[in-house]
Amino acid sequence: MQSLIPKSFQQPSHKKKNQNTPNSNNPYYLYVVTIIAAATILFLFYSRQIDPKGLCSTAGSLTPAQTIIVEEFESSAIPLVTIFHYATARDVPQQSKGEIRRPFDVLQSLAPCNFLVFGIGHDSLMWDSFNPLGVTLFLEEDPKWAISSLKRFPILRAHTVYYNTRLNEAKTLLSSYKKNCGAVSTGDHPLKDDRRCRLALGKLPEEVYDRDWDVIMIDAPRGYFPSAPGRMAVIYSAAVMARGRKKAGVTHVFLHDVDREVERLYAKEFLCMKYRVGGIRKLWHFVIPPAANVTDTANGFC
């Protein structure tokens, strides 16, 4: 596991969406524990290698409860540690029961698979446990939050990502992308090193480009104030990844917070409503097949 934390990348810390509320008051707590307990029966004797890379020495101190969780990663099966964490933590997953269940069912049908998650939250350990023996990678915009999360959950694989877009540019970027995006890439991936298209995430860690991702969860970066990065580039890049898939099969893309205008506009433009197979509350589910020519966007994506 490696963490890419550029020293020169400074962004203000921010509070994650979910509030700290006792488990006894959260209706989804028992649901999460029940699902993970079921996973434990299947994967009790499996555990992945842990390589904290000194993260615990680079961040602030842990609470006694968090220290216990970190130590448990060294000796206990991952599903058991996950149950232990959610049974004792005040921070719980931010999505609803239905929103959790749909990706869970897909992951169970595909696992072990390649699962790419944009954003680290209080639900990250849960998502990781849903893909035992697979590759689950988290991409986070805030370096401080990434370090803090990896310190508490050293099993997670994560990198920080810089976004050069702002939410107040969303409509301009949407109306002009055909002029600047879709050119043939000079690299071995349609996104890699693309400096012309601002919606293309061309400077991601190599392991993002090295894999076909079976499931992509878009729940970041922030997109609720004008100067926030917004999710425009993530939605565009996820669509390009899905279209450029090399191995057999399709790509499942889950987009959260579709109650917001930008998420809906960009989903309709790049993820395509004809590929939407369902959704619940603020979550849409798309199943996207590979395209014959991933760089041909003259007529749009849909």
Side-chain angles (χ1 to χ4, degrees), residues 1-5 49-55 120 136-140 146-147 150 153-160 205-208 210:
M1 180 195 72
Q2 295 181 342
S3 176
L4 182 64
I5 310 294
Q49 292 183 345
I50 301 164
D51 184 16
K53 298 290 185 183
L55 285 170
I120 296 179
T136 301
L137 179 65
F138 297 87
L139 300 179
E140 168 61 35
I147 290 175
L150 290 172
F153 310 126
I155 189 63
L156 300 182
R157 302 172 62 154
H159 297 276
T160 55
E206 285 296 327
E207 67 172 310
V208 178
D210 290 343

Side-chain angles (χ1 to χ4, degrees), residues 1 15 22 24 36 38 41 45 78 85 92 121 132 137 143 149-150 156 174 198 224 242 263 275-276 287-288:
M1 180 195 72
K15 188 174 182 181
S24 59
I36 299 171
I41 297 174
F45 299 104
I78 301 306
H85 165 67
V92 294
L137 179 65
S149 300
L150 290 172
L156 300 182
L174 187 63
R198 291 183 60 200
Y224 52 88
E263 277 77 359
Y275 296 139
R276 182 187 165 194
V287 177
I288 304 175

Side-chain angles (χ1 to χ4, degrees), residues 24-200:
S24 59
N25 294 332
N26 192 297
Y28 310 122
Y29 161 71
L30 291 178
Y31 177 78
V32 172
V33 172
T34 301
I35 289 177
I36 299 171
T40 302
I41 297 174
L42 297 175
F43 303 104
L44 181 62
F45 299 104
Y46 293 96
S47 180
R48 283 174 280 184
Q49 292 183 345
I50 301 164
D51 184 16
K53 298 290 185 183
L55 285 170
C56 291
S57 63
T58 63
S61 60
L62 293 171
T63 66
Q66 291 172 339
T67 300
I68 293 174
I69 298 296
V70 172
E71 292 174 349
E72 283 297 317
F73 280 115
E74 297 290 346
S75 59
S76 301
I78 301 306
L80 290 180
V81 181
T82 305
I83 293 173
F84 187 13
H85 165 67
Y86 288 111
T88 58
R90 295 173 62 86
D91 301 320
V92 294
Q94 60 210 42
Q95 296 186 17
S96 70
K97 175 180 176 180
E99 290 170 336
I100 292 171
R101 183 57 194 251
R102 197 170 188 96
F104 169 78
D105 288 341
V106 170
L107 288 168
Q108 291 302 293
S109 69
L110 297 176
C113 67
N114 294 332
F115 182 24
L116 182 63
V117 184
F118 285 89
I120 296 179
H122 297 300
D123 52 6
S124 295
L125 189 59
M126 177 191 73
W127 293 127
D128 188 71
S129 72
F130 288 168
N131 186 31
L133 306 182
V135 175
T136 301
L137 179 65
F138 297 87
L139 300 179
E140 168 61 35
E141 65 167 308
D142 185 347
K144 294 181 180 179
W145 178 256
I147 290 175
S148 174
S149 300
L150 290 172
K151 180 183 176 184
R152 291 184 295 136
F153 310 126
I155 189 63
L156 300 182
R157 302 172 62 154
H159 297 276
T160 55
V161 177
Y162 173 72
Y163 298 95
N164 68 345
T165 57
R166 294 294 177 264
L167 186 66
N168 57 15
E169 303 173 307
K171 291 187 178 180
T172 299
L173 290 170
L174 187 63
S175 63
S176 63
Y177 82 89
K178 291 180 183 179
K179 298 179 181 178
N180 303 315
C181 302
V184 177
S185 173
T186 57
D188 55 0
H189 190 281
L191 290 173
K192 188 176 179 181
D193 296 326
D194 188 340
R195 298 179 182 180
R196 184 180 177 186
C197 178
R198 291 183 60 200
L199 291 175

